[in-house]
Amino acid sequence: MRYSIGIDLGGTNMKVGVVDLEEKKILISISEPTCAPRGAEEIAADIASMIRRLLADADMTLGDIAWIGAATPGIVKNGTVVSASNLGWDNVPFAMLLERMTGKRVYLANDANAAAYAEACWGVGAGEKNLIAITLGTGVGGGIVMNGAIFDGFNGFAAEIGHMIIDHGGRECSCGKRGCLEAYCSATALIKESRRMLALYPDSMMKALLDKHGEMSGIIPFEAWSGGDYAATSVINDYIDYLAVGISNVINIFQPEVLCIGGGISAQGEALMKPLRDRAARLSFGFAQGKTRIEAAKFKNGAGIIGAALLGTEKKENAIMQIADTVSRGFDILGDVVSIMPFGNGHINDTYIVVTENNGGEENKYILQKINKNVFPRPDLLMKNFASVTEYLSELLLENGGDPERETLRLVKTKEGGDYFVSTDGDYWRMVHYIRDSICYDKVEEPRQFYESAVAFGNFQRMLKDYPADSLYEIIENFHNTPDRYKKLMDAADRDKFERRKEVEADLEFARAREAFCHTLEDAHRAGRLPLRVTHNDTKLNNILFDGNTGKPICVIDLDTIMPGYSVNDFGDSIRFGATTAAEDESDLTKVNFDIELYELYVKGFIEGAKGGLTDAELEMLPIGAIMMTLECGMRFLTDYLQGDTYFKTHRPGQNLDRARNQFKLVSDMEHKLDEMREIVNKYSHMEV
Ligand code: ADP
Ligand code: GN1
Ligand code: MG
């Protein structure tokens, strides 16, 4: 995508701009007073509305935007503003707040770091890997870009170049310590020194300039210096000497290709830069090997917006590098990691395909997943279920002449011999062997596939029929308890935290009209007509892998929700996803129709796969299961929409609402065809299998 949004949130103004990533410029921007201190929710809501206005003016939608970046003052780490005194914020998860309001991925960085990043990407550091920025303003700020990524220390506090001590016991600094670079090289320090020298040399040219301008500024000593004034020359000479010391310290540590000087004082341009280069050159190491370029910043205004808008390019590389690190530190893999890419279309976990290579050039592939902690509060217990079920299936396959390397998931052990790896930031990771030559479908492409997936899911259920159900942890409570899902929807509507309710009144009404129906399966269970079995609970088509060569299903995947449940729900979940004429998030409802022919194929396959393992009551309730799962899934999507899209992954605003309406459309189609659906089940229930 060509555009992203950059936000420069300051203590005084908040600026928002659409940035053209191809033309490398701000396309359009607006600014409003921040009115700090103020709550983060309020500010985020204002920014979200500024974004909407800006996009409308540019004749764009959020769909045209790749991501959003925000630069804020203070200490920033992992999407959180840890502390920002000029906003009055402590520990504000600002990226998450904005993500909820916009449905877009939001990246966050400290404003000085973002400005440095802008210079590194598109400014005086373009084409280089390492740039250090020093801003000479009211204070002295800094930003470090190393190997194309912002370096901010373990705590987000790094790059405080202004507080590098250059004179032990020297001038008092605003931070309370003595001798910091800021006490010598900020505009504030320059003004103070100019005033002091003017008091000592009242005949200085600075006097006339002061009378002309009305107040002392950083410009006056520079102007008087260029006129050869003695007092001003002394002020500026000292100023440049101290700055050269600070800069050469930085160069000696980092040896960046570029050292960039920004802030108000950098407007002096070459008059300042030339003597600075000469003096810094005398103090720095490493000249034989090529030297650091010292340059005035390219961006005067707009560095914050541009740097923020570019954050998506930084984090991606960074994040992948971190994941590579997790993989190599955590798991007992063969060879070295050569690539990691996001993979699949799951709505829940972060899934990656990892390719490794050993010395002989032999390649191995793995699937790596970061378990969604928001959805699964106990990833440890989830992994216990996962490990024991896959082990059980693998033994069963061995006994029956199957191939446990292809027909069930196989965990890759961690270096400590465990089933999952917990990274330093508390994320849970698991790895399974990639099933070679496998294909995963998000939509039925050939009717035969759907029939075969039914046999496979029916089979899967049969294979687990003797699995000890009470040894399984209930990974998500009330997962397919439809009356409970109904209640959660109505609660979300009552709270209406994101003010989306008025838009969905008709959809809520649709659910309300079916409240009594929601109890059907729970009632049947209580009456002893519907047994609990070990079920998969997430039987959509893309949770089964097909063989790329033979086209046959090989392996049922996504075992996160294996729990005691109703067989008719597993049946129903497949129907809602597969027996339809459109994708799950199709927004044009005229394209969304229940496909009774696909339904028939699935009924036939499921009953065959279960090989008589279903009771008469279960068979009779299959059509109810289909409607129930479709209705329930629609209600879950709608609930998530009302709650700000935090459960299911979304790739565009309104996607959950589209998904909900899509499911509801299928519900009404099925209701109209219920008699036919029952007849079809009857037909196959009484066939010899
Ligand atoms: P989610 O819970 O987010 O849906 P899944 O476990 O279903 O996560 O994995 C997401 C996708 O990754 C699957 O739809 C499939 O395309 C792919 N996938 C998962 N495991 C494997 C595997 N072992 N081999 C090949 N592809 C896999
Ligand atoms: C989720 O994980 P995935 O994408 O296979 C969800 C299912 C929903 C489905 C809707 C743990 O499945 O329950 O039916 O999205 N999984 C979980 O497409 O909530
Ligand atoms: Mg899945």
Side-chain angles (χ1 to χ4, degrees):
M1 260 183 279
R2 177 167 172 180
Y3 303 98
S4 66
I5 284 177
I7 299 159
D8 185 357
L9 173 58
T12 318
N13 289 309
M14 38 194 193
K15 299 178 213 149
V16 180
V18 175
V19 169
D20 184 333
L21 299 167
E22 267 173 33
E23 294 281 321
K24 301 191 175 174
K25 62 172 198 203
I26 300 175
L27 193 69
I28 172 173
S29 68
I30 40 173
S31 173
E32 274 182 17
T34 311
C35 306
R38 202 149 69 101
E41 295 249 356
E42 259 179 59
I43 290 189
D46 280 357
I47 289 179
S49 100
M50 286 168 81
I51 292 175
R52 279 193 293 275
R53 261 182 291 139
L54 201 61
L55 288 173
D57 285 349
D59 211 8
M60 285 179 166
T61 68
L62 273 167
D64 299 310
I65 298 299
W67 61 74
I68 296 174
T72 74
I75 304 169
V76 176
K77 195 74 196 169
N78 299 332
T80 295
V81 178
V82 180
S83 117
S85 52
N86 28 0
L87 296 172
W89 291 4
D90 281 303
N91 283 319
V92 170
F94 192 61
M96 196 183 73
L97 275 180
L98 261 188
E99 266 175 19
R100 286 200 187 148
M101 290 182 191
T102 59
K104 284 277 150 186
R105 183 89 176 86
V106 176
Y107 300 96
L108 205 60
N110 159 278
D111 48 10
N113 289 341
Y117 194 60
E119 289 294 341
C121 296
W122 291 353
V124 290
E128 313 285 13
K129 281 188 173 164
N130 307 286
L131 171 141
I132 315 275
I134 299 182
T135 37
L136 308 173
T138 311
V140 172
I144 300 173
V145 179
M146 285 175 76
N147 290 320
I150 292 172
F151 175 83
D152 61 2
F154 79 94
N155 50 9
F157 215 165
E160 283 300 339
I161 294 171
H163 298 286
M164 168 174 48
I165 294 173
I166 56 167
D167 185 8
H168 170 65
R171 289 184 199 163
E172 203 172 308
C173 179
S174 64
C175 71
K177 302 194 176 59
R178 287 188 169 274
C180 298
L181 182 67
E182 180 165 300
Y184 299 84
C185 296
S186 59
T188 317
L190 179 61
I191 290 168
K192 208 168 152 195
E193 274 302 284
S194 305
R195 284 209 190 102
R196 191 177 66 81
M197 287 299 277
L198 182 57
L200 289 175
Y201 299 91
D203 297 339
S204 156
M205 282 161 76
M206 289 193 282
K207 176 76 178 78
L209 289 166
L210 178 60
D211 290 344
K212 189 170 122 200
H213 292 293
E215 64 176 340
M216 184 57 85
S217 72
I219 300 170
I220 291 178
F222 272 101
E223 221 176 300
W225 171 51
S226 69
D229 178 65
Y230 172 77
T233 303
S234 152
V235 171
I236 297 296
N237 260 334
D238 279 355
Y239 182 85
I240 296 179
D241 276 341
Y242 282 119
L243 190 54
V245 168
I247 282 176
S248 50
N249 284 341
V250 171
I251 293 177
N252 289 343
I253 297 170
F254 292 101
Q255 295 295 344
E257 286 96 338
V258 183
L259 193 139
C260 164
I261 305 284
I265 293 194
S266 71
Q268 293 303 323
E270 281 305 293
L272 166 69
M273 301 310 292
K274 198 179 168 315
L276 186 61
R277 280 189 200 110
D278 293 344
R279 294 183 211 184
R282 273 184 258 129
L283 296 169
S284 318
F285 279 114
F287 286 138
Q289 284 72 35
K291 64 181 174 185
T292 297
R293 271 195 290 128
I294 300 173
E295 305 278 5
K298 169 173 169 179
F299 297 112
K300 306 285 177 283
N301 299 314
I305 289 182
I306 290 177
L310 283 167
L311 289 174
T313 65
E314 182 236 8
K315 284 279 159 50
K316 248 185 275 166
E317 228 176 295
N318 222 4
I320 289 289
M321 269 152 59
Q322 276 170 22
I323 294 168
D325 191 55
T326 303
V327 177
S328 334
R329 278 186 302 128
F331 292 96
D332 195 13
I333 44 170
L334 295 169
D336 296 324
V337 176
V338 290
S339 81
I340 298 183
M341 303 259 276
F343 196 74
N345 286 323
H347 292 341
I348 304 295
N349 299 304
D350 289 355
T351 304
Y352 303 89
I353 182 158
V354 177
V355 182
T356 66
E357 221 177 80
N358 67 12
N359 284 340
E362 197 187 344
E363 191 188 87
N364 275 289
K365 285 186 183 169
Y366 303 92
I367 292 287
L368 173 75
Q369 292 185 305
K370 182 165 97 180
I371 299 172
N372 185 328
K373 281 200 295 190
N374 179 30
V375 168
F376 304 114
R378 291 294 305 267
D380 53 338
L381 299 183
L382 179 153
M383 286 311 294
K384 280 202 171 142
N385 283 357
F386 192 109
S388 12
V389 167
T390 46
E391 227 163 87
Y392 181 88
L393 288 173
S394 154
E395 277 166 25
L396 210 61
L397 284 163
L398 271 179
E399 281 168 26
N400 299 319
D403 178 359
E405 299 222 335
R406 280 180 81 65
E407 292 169 39
T408 182
L409 292 176
R410 258 187 321 138
L411 278 168
V412 176
K413 291 280 180 192
T414 65
K415 291 215 159 120
E416 275 81 41
D419 292 323
Y420 56 89
F421 177 72
V422 187
S423 56
T424 39
D425 36 12
D427 285 324
Y428 283 70
W429 297 83
R430 70 161 166 243
M431 208 176 203
V432 291
H433 290 270
Y434 173 78
I435 299 190
R436 290 207 170 250
D437 301 320
S438 64
I439 304 185
C440 183
Y441 296 99
D442 287 300
K443 210 182 156 303
V444 176
E445 288 183 3
E446 273 179 63
R448 184 189 49 81
Q449 277 165 357
F450 197 46
Y451 162 76
E452 284 169 350
S453 76
V455 179
F457 277 125
N459 241 320
F460 184 81
Q461 199 161 94
R462 196 167 40 85
M463 280 172 59
L464 288 175
K465 79 176 189 330
D466 296 325
Y467 189 87
D470 35 342
S471 74
L472 283 171
Y473 300 100
E474 190 177 7
I475 274 314
I476 299 179
E477 250 178 88
N478 291 321
F479 189 57
H480 283 322
N481 179 334
T482 314
D484 186 63
R485 295 291 187 181
Y486 175 87
K487 199 175 152 297
K488 287 187 171 125
L489 171 61
M490 294 307 155
D491 284 351
D494 286 344
R495 290 213 177 90
D496 195 19
K497 201 164 158 215
F498 289 82
E499 293 171 16
R500 291 175 170 180
R501 180 182 177 143
K502 55 181 178 306
E503 194 190 347
V504 303
E505 271 311 339
D507 308 284
L508 289 169
E509 202 40 54
F510 185 93
R512 258 183 233 116
R514 286 155 185 81
E515 181 181 4
F517 171 77
C518 290
H519 294 264
T520 319
L521 297 180
E522 294 303 311
D523 289 350
H525 172 63
R526 267 194 294 275
R529 297 186 60 230
L530 193 59
L532 275 176
R533 300 180 182 276
V534 174
T535 48
H536 181 280
N537 292 308
D538 189 2
T539 50
K540 55 182 178 178
L541 188 66
N542 68 14
N543 285 330
I544 208 162
L545 299 178
F546 289 81
D547 190 307
N549 299 317
T550 64
K552 301 270 180 206
I554 343 171
C555 179
V556 170
I557 61 168
D558 203 342
L559 309 177
D560 292 336
T561 48
I562 291 191
M563 284 180 278
Y566 307 138
S567 58
V568 302
N569 282 346
D570 269 7
F571 168 83
D573 204 20
S574 296
I575 297 300
R576 66 146 201 97
F577 189 85
T580 159
T581 50
E584 194 186 45
D585 64 348
E586 173 60 59
S587 55
D588 179 354
L589 295 184
T590 62
K591 294 187 184 150
V592 182
N593 296 297
F594 173 55
D595 186 329
I596 194 128
E597 282 165 20
L598 285 175
Y599 168 85
E600 174 157 3
L601 280 175
Y602 199 91
V603 169
K604 180 170 184 288
F606 195 74
I607 294 177
E608 282 175 21
K611 292 209 174 71
L614 298 169
T615 65
D616 283 349
E618 284 178 297
L619 288 167
E620 187 198 312
M621 278 183 272
L622 287 178
I624 300 297
I627 301 179
M628 193 68 72
M629 278 299 96
T630 317
L631 176 64
E632 184 194 281
C633 199
M635 294 196 298
R636 291 173 64 198
F637 287 141
L638 190 56
T639 307
D640 198 27
Y641 181 69
L642 287 166
Q643 290 177 337
D645 307 306
T646 53
Y647 186 96
F648 298 103
K649 277 188 201 297
T650 52
H651 310 286
R652 57 178 165 83
Q655 194 173 9
N656 271 323
L657 182 57
D658 286 344
R659 288 171 179 156
R661 290 184 170 151
N662 178 308
Q663 297 296 298
F664 285 175
K665 169 75 196 303
L666 291 175
V667 169
S668 42
D669 272 14
M670 289 184 205
E671 287 169 347
H672 284 111
K673 295 191 174 151
L674 184 56
D675 288 342
E676 269 177 85
M677 289 167 74
R678 289 196 159 123
E679 275 164 34
I680 291 170
V681 169
N682 265 334
K683 178 169 146 195
Y684 293 97
S685 303
H686 301 112
M687 272 182 24
E688 276 306 307
V689 284

